[in-house]
Short mmCIF file of all heavy atoms in Angstrom, two decimals:
data_model
loop_
_atom_site.label_atom_id
_atom_site.label_comp_id
_atom_site.label_asym_id
_atom_site.label_seq_id
_atom_site.Cartn_x
_atom_site.Cartn_y
_atom_site.Cartn_z
N LEU A 9 -64.36 -110.77 -76.58
CA LEU A 9 -64.34 -111.63 -75.40
C LEU A 9 -63.41 -112.81 -75.61
O LEU A 9 -62.76 -113.26 -74.68
CB LEU A 9 -65.75 -112.12 -75.07
CG LEU A 9 -66.71 -111.06 -74.53
CD1 LEU A 9 -68.06 -111.68 -74.25
CD2 LEU A 9 -66.15 -110.41 -73.27
N SER A 10 -63.40 -113.30 -76.85
CA SER A 10 -62.50 -114.40 -77.15
C SER A 10 -62.08 -114.31 -78.62
O SER A 10 -62.75 -113.68 -79.43
CB SER A 10 -63.15 -115.75 -76.86
OG SER A 10 -64.28 -115.93 -77.68
N ARG A 31 -55.73 -93.04 -62.69
CA ARG A 31 -54.30 -92.86 -62.47
C ARG A 31 -53.46 -93.53 -63.55
O ARG A 31 -52.51 -92.96 -64.04
CB ARG A 31 -53.90 -93.45 -61.11
CG ARG A 31 -54.42 -92.67 -59.93
CD ARG A 31 -53.82 -91.28 -59.88
NE ARG A 31 -54.27 -90.49 -58.75
CZ ARG A 31 -53.63 -90.44 -57.59
NH1 ARG A 31 -52.54 -91.16 -57.40
NH2 ARG A 31 -54.10 -89.68 -56.62
N SER A 32 -53.82 -94.77 -63.90
CA SER A 32 -53.01 -95.52 -64.86
C SER A 32 -53.84 -96.69 -65.37
O SER A 32 -54.93 -96.96 -64.85
CB SER A 32 -51.73 -96.04 -64.21
OG SER A 32 -52.04 -96.92 -63.14
N LEU A 34 -53.27 -100.81 -66.52
CA LEU A 34 -52.34 -101.93 -66.52
C LEU A 34 -52.90 -103.06 -67.38
O LEU A 34 -54.11 -103.27 -67.45
CB LEU A 34 -52.10 -102.44 -65.11
CG LEU A 34 -51.18 -101.60 -64.21
CD1 LEU A 34 -51.87 -100.33 -63.73
CD2 LEU A 34 -50.71 -102.43 -63.02
N TYR A 36 -52.43 -107.26 -67.94
CA TYR A 36 -51.92 -108.49 -67.37
C TYR A 36 -52.21 -109.66 -68.31
O TYR A 36 -53.19 -109.66 -69.04
CB TYR A 36 -52.60 -108.79 -66.01
CG TYR A 36 -52.11 -107.96 -64.86
CD1 TYR A 36 -52.62 -106.69 -64.62
CD2 TYR A 36 -51.15 -108.46 -63.98
CE1 TYR A 36 -52.17 -105.93 -63.55
CE2 TYR A 36 -50.71 -107.72 -62.90
CZ TYR A 36 -51.22 -106.45 -62.70
OH TYR A 36 -50.78 -105.71 -61.63
N GLN A 38 -52.90 -113.78 -68.08
CA GLN A 38 -53.21 -114.85 -67.13
C GLN A 38 -53.28 -116.17 -67.88
O GLN A 38 -54.15 -116.37 -68.71
CB GLN A 38 -54.53 -114.57 -66.40
CG GLN A 38 -54.82 -115.60 -65.33
CD GLN A 38 -56.09 -115.30 -64.56
OE1 GLN A 38 -56.98 -114.61 -65.05
NE2 GLN A 38 -56.18 -115.79 -63.34
N LYS A 40 -52.54 -120.03 -66.37
CA LYS A 40 -53.34 -120.96 -65.57
C LYS A 40 -53.68 -120.44 -64.19
O LYS A 40 -54.70 -120.78 -63.62
CB LYS A 40 -52.61 -122.29 -65.48
CG LYS A 40 -52.53 -123.00 -66.82
CD LYS A 40 -51.92 -124.37 -66.70
CE LYS A 40 -51.91 -125.06 -68.06
NZ LYS A 40 -51.26 -126.38 -68.00
N LYS A 41 -52.83 -119.63 -63.66
CA LYS A 41 -53.06 -119.20 -62.28
C LYS A 41 -53.01 -117.68 -62.13
O LYS A 41 -53.92 -117.00 -62.57
CB LYS A 41 -52.04 -119.87 -61.36
CG LYS A 41 -52.28 -121.38 -61.21
CD LYS A 41 -51.44 -122.00 -60.13
CE LYS A 41 -51.81 -123.46 -59.96
NZ LYS A 41 -50.97 -124.12 -58.91
N ALA A 42 -51.95 -117.19 -61.54
CA ALA A 42 -51.92 -115.77 -61.22
C ALA A 42 -51.68 -114.91 -62.45
O ALA A 42 -50.87 -115.26 -63.32
CB ALA A 42 -50.83 -115.50 -60.19
N PRO A 43 -52.36 -113.77 -62.57
CA PRO A 43 -52.05 -112.83 -63.65
C PRO A 43 -50.63 -112.32 -63.49
O PRO A 43 -50.17 -112.05 -62.38
CB PRO A 43 -53.07 -111.70 -63.43
CG PRO A 43 -54.14 -112.29 -62.59
CD PRO A 43 -53.48 -113.32 -61.73
N THR A 44 -49.96 -112.15 -64.62
CA THR A 44 -48.61 -111.60 -64.60
C THR A 44 -48.62 -110.26 -65.33
O THR A 44 -49.29 -110.09 -66.35
CB THR A 44 -47.58 -112.53 -65.25
OG1 THR A 44 -48.04 -112.88 -66.57
CG2 THR A 44 -47.43 -113.80 -64.45
N PHE A 45 -47.88 -109.33 -64.82
CA PHE A 45 -47.87 -107.96 -65.29
C PHE A 45 -47.21 -107.83 -66.66
O PHE A 45 -46.16 -108.42 -66.91
CB PHE A 45 -47.14 -107.09 -64.26
CG PHE A 45 -46.86 -105.69 -64.70
CD1 PHE A 45 -47.89 -104.77 -64.80
CD2 PHE A 45 -45.58 -105.30 -65.02
CE1 PHE A 45 -47.64 -103.48 -65.19
CE2 PHE A 45 -45.30 -104.01 -65.42
CZ PHE A 45 -46.33 -103.09 -65.51
N MET A 48 -47.74 -100.98 -67.75
CA MET A 48 -48.48 -99.93 -67.07
C MET A 48 -48.39 -98.67 -67.93
O MET A 48 -47.30 -98.25 -68.31
CB MET A 48 -47.92 -99.64 -65.68
CG MET A 48 -48.72 -98.56 -64.96
SD MET A 48 -48.32 -98.41 -63.21
CE MET A 48 -46.69 -97.67 -63.30
N THR A 50 -49.51 -94.64 -68.32
CA THR A 50 -49.99 -93.47 -67.59
C THR A 50 -50.20 -92.26 -68.48
O THR A 50 -50.95 -91.36 -68.14
CB THR A 50 -49.03 -93.09 -66.46
OG1 THR A 50 -47.73 -92.89 -67.01
CG2 THR A 50 -48.96 -94.17 -65.40
N ILE A 86 -55.56 -115.53 -71.10
CA ILE A 86 -56.54 -114.46 -70.92
C ILE A 86 -55.76 -113.17 -70.70
O ILE A 86 -54.84 -113.13 -69.88
CB ILE A 86 -57.46 -114.73 -69.71
CG1 ILE A 86 -58.28 -115.99 -69.94
CG2 ILE A 86 -58.37 -113.53 -69.45
CD1 ILE A 86 -59.07 -116.42 -68.71
N LEU A 88 -55.94 -109.38 -69.46
CA LEU A 88 -56.79 -108.55 -68.59
C LEU A 88 -56.34 -107.10 -68.62
O LEU A 88 -55.14 -106.81 -68.51
CB LEU A 88 -56.70 -109.06 -67.15
CG LEU A 88 -57.22 -110.48 -66.91
CD1 LEU A 88 -56.71 -111.01 -65.57
CD2 LEU A 88 -58.74 -110.50 -66.92
N SER A 92 -56.64 -98.07 -63.16
CA SER A 92 -56.47 -97.81 -61.74
C SER A 92 -57.04 -96.45 -61.40
O SER A 92 -56.77 -95.46 -62.09
CB SER A 92 -54.98 -97.85 -61.41
OG SER A 92 -54.72 -97.31 -60.13
N TYR A 94 -57.96 -93.72 -58.04
CA TYR A 94 -57.71 -93.46 -56.63
C TYR A 94 -59.04 -93.35 -55.91
O TYR A 94 -59.91 -92.57 -56.27
CB TYR A 94 -56.92 -92.17 -56.43
CG TYR A 94 -56.60 -91.92 -54.98
CD1 TYR A 94 -55.56 -92.61 -54.37
CD2 TYR A 94 -57.35 -91.05 -54.22
CE1 TYR A 94 -55.26 -92.41 -53.04
CE2 TYR A 94 -57.06 -90.84 -52.89
CZ TYR A 94 -56.02 -91.52 -52.29
OH TYR A 94 -55.74 -91.32 -50.97
N GLY A 95 -59.20 -94.16 -54.89
CA GLY A 95 -60.43 -94.12 -54.12
C GLY A 95 -60.14 -94.46 -52.68
O GLY A 95 -59.59 -95.50 -52.39
N GLY A 96 -60.45 -93.62 -51.75
CA GLY A 96 -60.18 -93.93 -50.35
C GLY A 96 -58.70 -93.77 -50.06
O GLY A 96 -58.11 -92.73 -50.33
N ALA A 97 -58.08 -94.82 -49.58
CA ALA A 97 -56.71 -94.71 -49.10
C ALA A 97 -55.66 -95.07 -50.13
O ALA A 97 -54.48 -94.86 -49.90
CB ALA A 97 -56.54 -95.61 -47.88
N THR A 98 -56.06 -95.63 -51.23
CA THR A 98 -55.05 -96.07 -52.19
C THR A 98 -55.66 -96.21 -53.57
O THR A 98 -56.86 -96.06 -53.76
CB THR A 98 -54.46 -97.42 -51.74
OG1 THR A 98 -53.36 -97.75 -52.60
CG2 THR A 98 -55.48 -98.54 -51.85
N ASN A 99 -54.79 -96.54 -54.52
CA ASN A 99 -55.28 -96.84 -55.86
C ASN A 99 -55.86 -98.25 -55.89
O ASN A 99 -55.36 -99.15 -55.20
CB ASN A 99 -54.13 -96.77 -56.87
CG ASN A 99 -53.60 -95.37 -57.00
OD1 ASN A 99 -54.36 -94.43 -57.11
ND2 ASN A 99 -52.29 -95.24 -56.99
N LYS A 100 -56.88 -98.43 -56.70
CA LYS A 100 -57.49 -99.75 -56.84
C LYS A 100 -57.60 -100.08 -58.32
O LYS A 100 -58.01 -99.24 -59.11
CB LYS A 100 -58.88 -99.76 -56.20
CG LYS A 100 -58.85 -99.60 -54.70
CD LYS A 100 -60.24 -99.58 -54.13
CE LYS A 100 -60.94 -98.28 -54.43
NZ LYS A 100 -62.26 -98.19 -53.77
N LEU A 101 -57.23 -101.30 -58.65
CA LEU A 101 -57.37 -101.76 -60.03
C LEU A 101 -58.78 -102.31 -60.24
O LEU A 101 -59.25 -103.12 -59.44
CB LEU A 101 -56.35 -102.85 -60.34
CG LEU A 101 -54.88 -102.46 -60.29
CD1 LEU A 101 -54.02 -103.60 -60.81
CD2 LEU A 101 -54.62 -101.21 -61.10
N ILE A 102 -59.40 -101.88 -61.34
CA ILE A 102 -60.71 -102.40 -61.73
C ILE A 102 -60.48 -103.26 -62.95
O ILE A 102 -60.08 -102.76 -64.00
CB ILE A 102 -61.68 -101.26 -62.07
CG1 ILE A 102 -61.65 -100.16 -61.01
CG2 ILE A 102 -63.09 -101.81 -62.28
CD1 ILE A 102 -62.10 -100.62 -59.64
N PHE A 103 -60.73 -104.54 -62.84
CA PHE A 103 -60.41 -105.46 -63.93
C PHE A 103 -61.59 -105.66 -64.86
O PHE A 103 -62.75 -105.76 -64.42
CB PHE A 103 -60.00 -106.82 -63.38
CG PHE A 103 -58.59 -106.86 -62.87
CD1 PHE A 103 -58.29 -106.47 -61.58
CD2 PHE A 103 -57.56 -107.30 -63.69
CE1 PHE A 103 -57.00 -106.49 -61.11
CE2 PHE A 103 -56.24 -107.33 -63.24
CZ PHE A 103 -55.97 -106.93 -61.94
N GLY A 104 -61.27 -105.75 -66.16
CA GLY A 104 -62.26 -106.19 -67.13
C GLY A 104 -62.38 -107.70 -67.07
O GLY A 104 -61.63 -108.38 -66.36
N THR A 105 -63.32 -108.25 -67.83
CA THR A 105 -63.52 -109.70 -67.84
C THR A 105 -62.47 -110.41 -68.67
O THR A 105 -62.38 -111.62 -68.63
CB THR A 105 -64.91 -110.07 -68.36
OG1 THR A 105 -65.11 -109.45 -69.63
CG2 THR A 105 -66.00 -109.63 -67.39
N GLY A 106 -61.69 -109.65 -69.43
CA GLY A 106 -60.60 -110.27 -70.15
C GLY A 106 -60.94 -110.67 -71.56
O GLY A 106 -62.11 -110.81 -71.94
N THR A 107 -59.91 -110.86 -72.36
CA THR A 107 -60.02 -111.44 -73.71
C THR A 107 -59.28 -112.76 -73.69
O THR A 107 -58.10 -112.81 -73.35
CB THR A 107 -59.41 -110.52 -74.77
OG1 THR A 107 -60.19 -109.33 -74.88
CG2 THR A 107 -59.37 -111.23 -76.12
N LEU A 108 -60.01 -113.82 -74.04
CA LEU A 108 -59.40 -115.15 -74.11
C LEU A 108 -58.82 -115.35 -75.50
O LEU A 108 -59.55 -115.41 -76.48
CB LEU A 108 -60.45 -116.21 -73.80
CG LEU A 108 -60.00 -117.67 -73.92
CD1 LEU A 108 -58.86 -117.96 -72.97
CD2 LEU A 108 -61.17 -118.61 -73.66
N ALA B 9 -53.54 -123.97 -51.91
CA ALA B 9 -53.72 -123.80 -53.35
C ALA B 9 -55.11 -124.25 -53.79
O ALA B 9 -55.71 -123.66 -54.68
CB ALA B 9 -52.65 -124.58 -54.11
N ASN B 32 -49.36 -102.41 -49.58
CA ASN B 32 -50.82 -102.49 -49.71
C ASN B 32 -51.15 -103.94 -50.07
O ASN B 32 -50.46 -104.56 -50.88
CB ASN B 32 -51.31 -101.56 -50.82
CG ASN B 32 -51.15 -100.10 -50.47
OD1 ASN B 32 -51.02 -99.73 -49.30
ND2 ASN B 32 -51.13 -99.26 -51.49
N TYR B 34 -54.28 -106.90 -51.05
CA TYR B 34 -55.58 -106.99 -51.71
C TYR B 34 -56.04 -108.45 -51.78
O TYR B 34 -55.22 -109.36 -51.93
CB TYR B 34 -55.50 -106.47 -53.15
CG TYR B 34 -54.92 -105.09 -53.30
CD1 TYR B 34 -53.53 -104.91 -53.32
CD2 TYR B 34 -55.73 -103.98 -53.46
CE1 TYR B 34 -52.98 -103.64 -53.46
CE2 TYR B 34 -55.19 -102.71 -53.61
CZ TYR B 34 -53.81 -102.55 -53.61
OH TYR B 34 -53.28 -101.29 -53.76
N TYR B 36 -58.73 -110.53 -54.23
CA TYR B 36 -59.63 -110.53 -55.38
C TYR B 36 -60.26 -111.91 -55.51
O TYR B 36 -59.68 -112.91 -55.11
CB TYR B 36 -58.86 -110.25 -56.68
CG TYR B 36 -58.51 -108.81 -56.93
CD1 TYR B 36 -57.37 -108.24 -56.37
CD2 TYR B 36 -59.31 -108.01 -57.74
CE1 TYR B 36 -57.05 -106.91 -56.62
CE2 TYR B 36 -59.00 -106.68 -57.99
CZ TYR B 36 -57.86 -106.14 -57.43
OH TYR B 36 -57.54 -104.82 -57.68
N GLN B 38 -62.04 -114.40 -58.54
CA GLN B 38 -62.28 -114.58 -59.96
C GLN B 38 -63.26 -115.73 -60.13
O GLN B 38 -62.94 -116.87 -59.87
CB GLN B 38 -60.98 -114.88 -60.70
CG GLN B 38 -61.12 -114.90 -62.21
CD GLN B 38 -59.77 -115.05 -62.90
OE1 GLN B 38 -58.88 -115.72 -62.39
NE2 GLN B 38 -59.60 -114.42 -64.05
N GLY B 41 -66.80 -116.19 -64.88
CA GLY B 41 -66.83 -115.19 -65.94
C GLY B 41 -65.50 -114.52 -66.21
O GLY B 41 -65.41 -113.68 -67.06
N ARG B 42 -64.47 -114.88 -65.45
CA ARG B 42 -63.07 -114.50 -65.65
C ARG B 42 -62.69 -113.14 -65.10
O ARG B 42 -61.54 -112.87 -64.90
CB ARG B 42 -62.68 -114.55 -67.14
CG ARG B 42 -62.82 -115.89 -67.77
CD ARG B 42 -62.44 -115.82 -69.22
NE ARG B 42 -63.13 -114.74 -69.88
CZ ARG B 42 -63.35 -114.70 -71.19
NH1 ARG B 42 -62.95 -115.68 -71.94
NH2 ARG B 42 -63.95 -113.67 -71.73
N GLY B 43 -63.62 -112.24 -64.86
CA GLY B 43 -63.23 -110.94 -64.32
C GLY B 43 -62.76 -111.07 -62.89
O GLY B 43 -63.22 -111.94 -62.15
N LEU B 44 -61.85 -110.21 -62.48
CA LEU B 44 -61.40 -110.19 -61.09
C LEU B 44 -62.17 -109.12 -60.34
O LEU B 44 -62.19 -107.96 -60.74
CB LEU B 44 -59.91 -109.87 -61.01
CG LEU B 44 -58.93 -111.03 -61.13
CD1 LEU B 44 -58.94 -111.61 -62.52
CD2 LEU B 44 -57.54 -110.58 -60.73
N GLN B 45 -62.78 -109.54 -59.25
CA GLN B 45 -63.55 -108.63 -58.43
C GLN B 45 -62.77 -108.33 -57.16
O GLN B 45 -62.39 -109.25 -56.42
CB GLN B 45 -64.90 -109.24 -58.10
CG GLN B 45 -65.79 -108.35 -57.25
CD GLN B 45 -67.06 -109.05 -56.82
OE1 GLN B 45 -67.07 -110.26 -56.55
NE2 GLN B 45 -68.16 -108.31 -56.75
N LEU B 46 -62.55 -107.05 -56.87
CA LEU B 46 -61.85 -106.67 -55.65
C LEU B 46 -62.77 -106.88 -54.46
O LEU B 46 -63.89 -106.37 -54.41
CB LEU B 46 -61.41 -105.21 -55.73
CG LEU B 46 -60.70 -104.64 -54.50
CD1 LEU B 46 -59.41 -105.41 -54.22
CD2 LEU B 46 -60.42 -103.16 -54.69
N TYR B 49 -59.17 -104.55 -49.44
CA TYR B 49 -57.80 -104.08 -49.51
C TYR B 49 -57.41 -103.50 -48.16
O TYR B 49 -58.27 -103.12 -47.35
CB TYR B 49 -57.58 -103.09 -50.65
CG TYR B 49 -58.23 -101.74 -50.49
CD1 TYR B 49 -57.55 -100.68 -49.90
CD2 TYR B 49 -59.52 -101.52 -50.97
CE1 TYR B 49 -58.15 -99.42 -49.77
CE2 TYR B 49 -60.12 -100.27 -50.85
CZ TYR B 49 -59.44 -99.23 -50.26
OH TYR B 49 -60.02 -98.00 -50.13
N VAL B 51 -54.26 -100.98 -46.25
CA VAL B 51 -53.07 -100.13 -46.38
C VAL B 51 -52.21 -100.20 -45.13
O VAL B 51 -51.16 -99.54 -45.07
CB VAL B 51 -53.45 -98.68 -46.71
CG1 VAL B 51 -54.18 -98.61 -48.04
CG2 VAL B 51 -54.29 -98.07 -45.60
N GLN B 55 -56.19 -102.25 -40.78
CA GLN B 55 -56.97 -101.36 -41.64
C GLN B 55 -57.49 -102.16 -42.83
O GLN B 55 -56.71 -102.55 -43.71
CB GLN B 55 -56.12 -100.19 -42.14
CG GLN B 55 -55.57 -99.32 -41.04
CD GLN B 55 -54.71 -98.20 -41.60
OE1 GLN B 55 -55.18 -97.39 -42.38
NE2 GLN B 55 -53.45 -98.17 -41.22
N SER B 57 -60.54 -102.35 -45.86
CA SER B 57 -61.64 -101.74 -46.59
C SER B 57 -62.33 -102.82 -47.40
O SER B 57 -61.68 -103.61 -48.10
CB SER B 57 -61.12 -100.64 -47.52
OG SER B 57 -60.55 -99.59 -46.79
N GLU B 59 -64.98 -103.88 -50.33
CA GLU B 59 -65.52 -103.31 -51.56
C GLU B 59 -66.94 -103.76 -51.86
O GLU B 59 -67.70 -103.03 -52.49
CB GLU B 59 -64.62 -103.70 -52.74
CG GLU B 59 -63.30 -102.97 -52.74
CD GLU B 59 -63.50 -101.47 -52.93
OE1 GLU B 59 -63.97 -101.07 -54.01
OE2 GLU B 59 -63.20 -100.71 -51.99
N PHE B 88 -61.97 -118.63 -57.55
CA PHE B 88 -60.52 -118.56 -57.50
C PHE B 88 -60.17 -117.27 -56.79
O PHE B 88 -60.50 -116.18 -57.25
CB PHE B 88 -59.98 -118.60 -58.93
CG PHE B 88 -58.49 -118.76 -59.04
CD1 PHE B 88 -57.83 -119.76 -58.34
CD2 PHE B 88 -57.75 -117.93 -59.86
CE1 PHE B 88 -56.46 -119.93 -58.45
CE2 PHE B 88 -56.38 -118.09 -59.98
CZ PHE B 88 -55.73 -119.09 -59.28
N LEU B 90 -57.48 -114.62 -55.24
CA LEU B 90 -56.12 -114.15 -55.48
C LEU B 90 -55.76 -113.05 -54.49
O LEU B 90 -56.50 -112.09 -54.32
CB LEU B 90 -56.00 -113.58 -56.89
CG LEU B 90 -56.02 -114.60 -58.03
CD1 LEU B 90 -56.44 -113.95 -59.33
CD2 LEU B 90 -54.65 -115.24 -58.18
N SER B 94 -48.95 -104.43 -53.42
CA SER B 94 -48.30 -103.35 -54.15
C SER B 94 -47.53 -102.52 -53.13
O SER B 94 -47.77 -102.63 -51.92
CB SER B 94 -49.31 -102.49 -54.91
OG SER B 94 -50.08 -101.71 -54.00
N PHE B 95 -46.64 -101.69 -53.61
CA PHE B 95 -45.94 -100.80 -52.70
C PHE B 95 -46.96 -99.83 -52.09
O PHE B 95 -47.95 -99.46 -52.72
CB PHE B 95 -44.85 -100.02 -53.44
CG PHE B 95 -43.67 -100.88 -53.79
CD1 PHE B 95 -43.42 -101.23 -55.11
CD2 PHE B 95 -42.81 -101.36 -52.81
CE1 PHE B 95 -42.35 -102.03 -55.45
CE2 PHE B 95 -41.73 -102.17 -53.13
CZ PHE B 95 -41.50 -102.50 -54.45
N GLY B 97 -48.62 -96.36 -50.40
CA GLY B 97 -48.74 -95.02 -50.94
C GLY B 97 -49.79 -94.95 -52.02
O GLY B 97 -50.39 -95.95 -52.39
N SER B 98 -49.99 -93.76 -52.54
CA SER B 98 -51.07 -93.56 -53.50
C SER B 98 -50.56 -93.36 -54.92
O SER B 98 -51.29 -92.92 -55.79
CB SER B 98 -51.91 -92.35 -53.08
OG SER B 98 -51.07 -91.20 -53.02
N GLY B 99 -49.32 -93.71 -55.17
CA GLY B 99 -48.81 -93.62 -56.53
C GLY B 99 -49.39 -94.71 -57.41
O GLY B 99 -50.09 -95.60 -56.94
N ALA B 100 -49.11 -94.64 -58.69
CA ALA B 100 -49.61 -95.65 -59.63
C ALA B 100 -48.79 -96.91 -59.45
O ALA B 100 -47.68 -97.01 -59.92
CB ALA B 100 -49.49 -95.13 -61.06
N ASN B 101 -49.35 -97.87 -58.75
CA ASN B 101 -48.58 -99.04 -58.36
C ASN B 101 -49.02 -100.30 -59.09
O ASN B 101 -50.20 -100.51 -59.34
CB ASN B 101 -48.72 -99.27 -56.86
CG ASN B 101 -48.05 -98.20 -56.05
OD1 ASN B 101 -46.98 -97.72 -56.43
ND2 ASN B 101 -48.66 -97.81 -54.97
N VAL B 102 -48.04 -101.14 -59.39
CA VAL B 102 -48.32 -102.43 -60.01
C VAL B 102 -48.68 -103.43 -58.94
O VAL B 102 -48.01 -103.51 -57.91
CB VAL B 102 -47.08 -102.90 -60.79
CG1 VAL B 102 -47.30 -104.31 -61.33
CG2 VAL B 102 -46.75 -101.93 -61.91
N LEU B 103 -49.72 -104.20 -59.18
CA LEU B 103 -50.08 -105.29 -58.28
C LEU B 103 -49.36 -106.55 -58.72
O LEU B 103 -49.33 -106.89 -59.90
CB LEU B 103 -51.58 -105.55 -58.31
CG LEU B 103 -52.41 -104.89 -57.21
CD1 LEU B 103 -52.33 -103.39 -57.30
CD2 LEU B 103 -53.84 -105.37 -57.25
N THR B 104 -48.80 -107.25 -57.74
CA THR B 104 -48.20 -108.56 -57.97
C THR B 104 -49.05 -109.58 -57.24
O THR B 104 -49.33 -109.43 -56.05
CB THR B 104 -46.76 -108.60 -57.45
OG1 THR B 104 -46.00 -107.60 -58.12
CG2 THR B 104 -46.15 -109.97 -57.71
N PHE B 105 -49.44 -110.62 -57.97
CA PHE B 105 -50.39 -111.59 -57.44
C PHE B 105 -49.71 -112.85 -56.91
O PHE B 105 -48.67 -113.28 -57.42
CB PHE B 105 -51.37 -112.01 -58.54
CG PHE B 105 -52.37 -110.94 -58.91
CD1 PHE B 105 -52.06 -110.00 -59.87
CD2 PHE B 105 -53.60 -110.87 -58.26
CE1 PHE B 105 -52.97 -109.00 -60.21
CE2 PHE B 105 -54.51 -109.88 -58.59
CZ PHE B 105 -54.20 -108.95 -59.56
N GLY B 106 -50.35 -113.44 -55.91
CA GLY B 106 -49.98 -114.78 -55.49
C GLY B 106 -50.52 -115.80 -56.47
O GLY B 106 -51.23 -115.45 -57.43
N ALA B 107 -50.21 -117.07 -56.21
CA ALA B 107 -50.58 -118.14 -57.14
C ALA B 107 -52.06 -118.48 -57.10
O ALA B 107 -52.55 -119.19 -57.97
CB ALA B 107 -49.74 -119.38 -56.85
N GLY B 108 -52.77 -118.01 -56.11
CA GLY B 108 -54.21 -118.22 -56.06
C GLY B 108 -54.63 -119.43 -55.25
O GLY B 108 -53.85 -120.37 -55.05
N ARG B 110 -57.94 -122.05 -55.13
CA ARG B 110 -59.20 -122.43 -55.77
C ARG B 110 -60.10 -123.07 -54.74
O ARG B 110 -59.78 -124.13 -54.19
CB ARG B 110 -58.95 -123.39 -56.93
CG ARG B 110 -60.22 -123.68 -57.73
CD ARG B 110 -59.92 -124.28 -59.10
NE ARG B 110 -59.09 -123.45 -59.93
CZ ARG B 110 -59.49 -122.38 -60.60
NH1 ARG B 110 -60.76 -122.01 -60.54
NH2 ARG B 110 -58.65 -121.70 -61.35
#
Side-chain angles (χ1 to χ4, degrees):
Chain A
L9 289 180
S10 62
R31 290 296 181 92
S32 61
L34 284 74
Y36 283 84
Q38 185 177 24
K40 292 186 178 177
K41 290 190 175 178
T44 53
F45 171 72
M48 181 168 72
T50 56
I86 296 173
L88 297 163
S92 167
Y94 183 78
T98 187
N99 294 315
K100 293 178 287 186
L101 296 188
I102 313 297
F103 281 85
T105 53
T107 293
L108 176 60
Chain B
N32 292 340
Y34 307 82
Y36 281 85
Q38 188 174 34
R42 300 179 310 203
L44 273 69
Q45 181 186 35
L46 178 61
Y49 69 92
V51 299
Q55 300 178 59
S57 296
E59 288 295 295
F88 189 50
L90 288 158
S94 71
F95 288 109
S98 59
N101 292 322
V102 174
L103 263 63
T104 301
F105 288 88
R110 187 163 301 282

